[in-house]
Amino acid sequence: MRKTLIISLLLLAAVSVSAQQQAAWPEVAPPEEEFTVRMPASEREVSRVLPFADELKLVRPVYEVSYDGLHFMVVSFDKWKQKGQPELLKTFDGFSEGFEHSVRQSWERDGNTLEREEDFTLKGMKIRPYQVRMSGKKGVARLYEAPQHFYAVVVLGATYGDARVDRFLKSFKVKTVEPMPERTDDPDDLTALMNMVSPSPVVQTPQPTDEPWPIDRPGRRPRAPISGGVLNGRAISKPEPPYPAIARAARASGIVTVQITFDEEGKVISANAVGGHPLLQQAAVQAAYKARFAPVRLSGQPVKVSGLLTYNFVLSTLSSPPDS
């Protein structure tokens, strides 16, 4: 009887520990994204430079955490809507091609591999799975499509059959959202163009501050950027954007506002247009990545700073629009 009681208590303790472990995985649901997922610890958001084609590098947000020898990541990619842009982020197959290029470009020189498996459908959603190996460690990846984004969901350090991997992948869900209207570059529809403020995708080669596909990033979560308001006056270098030919032909002009974050060294690590004519936004974003700022310290510690840059495009000065 006593032996049975001890076994029962041990089983209850195991169930309790299991329940605590289940509850310990917080949900990640960034408001600007279309997914939710559970990670084994509080995630951090970083920007990584990913080589998506031979002449194309993208700066993309990555939600990641290192835990118990594993690295969990969700990488977000905006869908491209504008005419005349490359096809890589317009279709699921194009996104898959860019993802494979990015991984192989980063890994193959070290003898790592990427193996695509057969697509499958889960709850009506097409999923493209991969087996990966990096620095001798196995991993898995899955690609998903949402109305406005593509997502790469990656685990490095273990593969299918590991309870942590399976739980992470099963927890990933795409939110149900209403898709935003697609853009048009038709200059005859200038009213519609002026009303659209969704930023163009970032197609740049900034100074990378981190490796594209890490295995482990231990350490505490970095301090969130502080708000710096309008940053035009703080820039120590702020190159002006050229006037896009298509915008000139459409007689598009005015102020474009770009939301940026610069790092502890004063380098811009993210830039997204949040206002202004769509035909002028990409030129402004590209110029914003070239801006430089004096490093900012808070309580003696260097910090990232977020804020706004504005660019005033004036039709009478086509080659070099003045500052606002």
Side-chain angles (χ1 to χ4, degrees):
M1 180 70 180
R2 184 176 180 182
K3 183 177 180 180
T4 302
L5 178 62
I6 293 174
I7 293 175
S8 298
L9 290 174
L10 290 174
L11 289 173
L12 287 173
V15 170
S16 176
V17 170
S18 177
Q20 291 176 2
Q21 290 175 342
Q22 291 287 326
W25 284 44
E27 183 179 71
V28 178
E32 67 276 16
E33 300 289 353
E34 298 177 281
F35 75 87
T36 61
V37 71
R38 290 193 176 275
M39 291 187 173
S42 296
E43 94 292 350
R44 67 169 191 166
E45 180 182 352
V46 299
S47 295
R48 299 200 181 281
V49 182
L50 304 177
F52 238 59
D54 289 338
E55 302 297 329
L56 174 64
K57 292 187 179 181
L58 303 177
V59 181
R60 300 313 310 149
V62 181
Y63 306 88
E64 64 179 26
V65 64
S66 290
Y67 180 83
D68 195 23
L70 277 67
H71 195 81
F72 302 82
M73 291 185 285
V74 177
V75 192
S76 171
F77 298 82
D78 296 328
K79 285 186 179 178
W80 291 4
K81 300 294 186 180
Q82 282 186 306
K83 296 177 183 178
Q85 290 178 323
E87 297 294 321
L88 283 176
L89 289 177
K90 289 185 177 181
T91 66
F92 188 72
D93 287 339
F95 167 59
S96 174
E97 177 185 342
F99 171 78
E100 292 174 13
H101 177 92
S102 174
V103 172
R104 291 192 173 106
Q105 189 78 3
S106 303
W107 295 357
E108 278 193 339
R109 61 185 174 209
D110 298 322
N112 301 293
T113 60
L114 172 75
E115 182 180 348
R116 177 175 161 182
E117 299 182 318
E118 185 176 352
D119 294 353
F120 65 94
T121 301
L122 182 64
K123 295 183 179 179
M125 177 175 294
K126 181 179 179 181
I127 300 173
R128 182 157 294 172
Y130 295 84
Q131 292 272 2
V132 299
R133 179 181 291 273
M134 180 177 181
S135 299
K137 291 189 175 182
K138 294 181 179 180
V140 296
R142 287 183 176 180
L143 305 187
Y144 297 79
E145 180 176 7
Q148 297 298 316
H149 297 82
F150 295 110
Y151 292 109
V153 180
V154 184
V155 185
L156 299 175
T159 186
Y160 300 114
D162 185 293
R164 299 161 297 178
V165 174
D166 295 340
R167 183 181 178 193
F168 174 65
L169 295 176
K170 288 179 181 179
S171 75
F172 184 85
K173 295 179 176 62
V174 173
K175 300 176 186 176
T176 302
V177 298
E178 290 295 327
M180 295 177 61
E182 292 193 4
R183 299 188 199 175
T184 172
D185 285 347
D186 186 354
D188 294 331
D189 193 8
L190 295 182
T191 301
L193 286 173
M194 288 298 291
N195 290 331
M196 293 181 181
V197 297
S198 179
S200 301
V202 178
V203 184
Q204 282 296 298
T205 310
Q207 293 295 322
T209 58
D210 225 336
E211 69 275 22
W213 300 98
I215 290 183
D216 289 308
R217 302 294 302 168
R220 59 183 181 179
R221 192 172 182 176
R223 185 195 298 267
I226 65 172
S227 177
V230 178
L231 300 174
N232 287 48
R234 293 178 175 267
I236 58 178
S237 174
K238 182 174 173 285
E240 297 299 333
Y243 215 111
I246 189 173
R248 183 192 318 175
R251 300 195 62 78
S253 63
I255 294 175
V256 176
T257 304
V258 181
Q259 176 78 43
I260 70 161
T261 299
F262 65 82
D263 64 13
E264 294 85 350
E265 298 178 353
K267 299 176 181 177
V268 176
I269 58 174
S270 71
N272 292 284
V274 294
H277 199 292
L279 296 181
L280 301 170
Q281 289 182 3
Q282 186 167 348
V285 168
Q286 291 172 348
Y289 269 104
K290 299 176 183 177
R292 291 294 179 267
F293 298 83
V296 174
R297 291 180 174 271
L298 185 65
S299 301
Q301 298 297 318
V303 294
K304 296 182 177 69
V305 177
S306 65
L308 301 174
L309 284 179
T310 60
Y311 297 88
N312 191 14
F313 291 81
V314 181
L315 280 170
S316 60
T317 311
L318 300 180
S319 60
S320 180
D323 251 349
S324 60

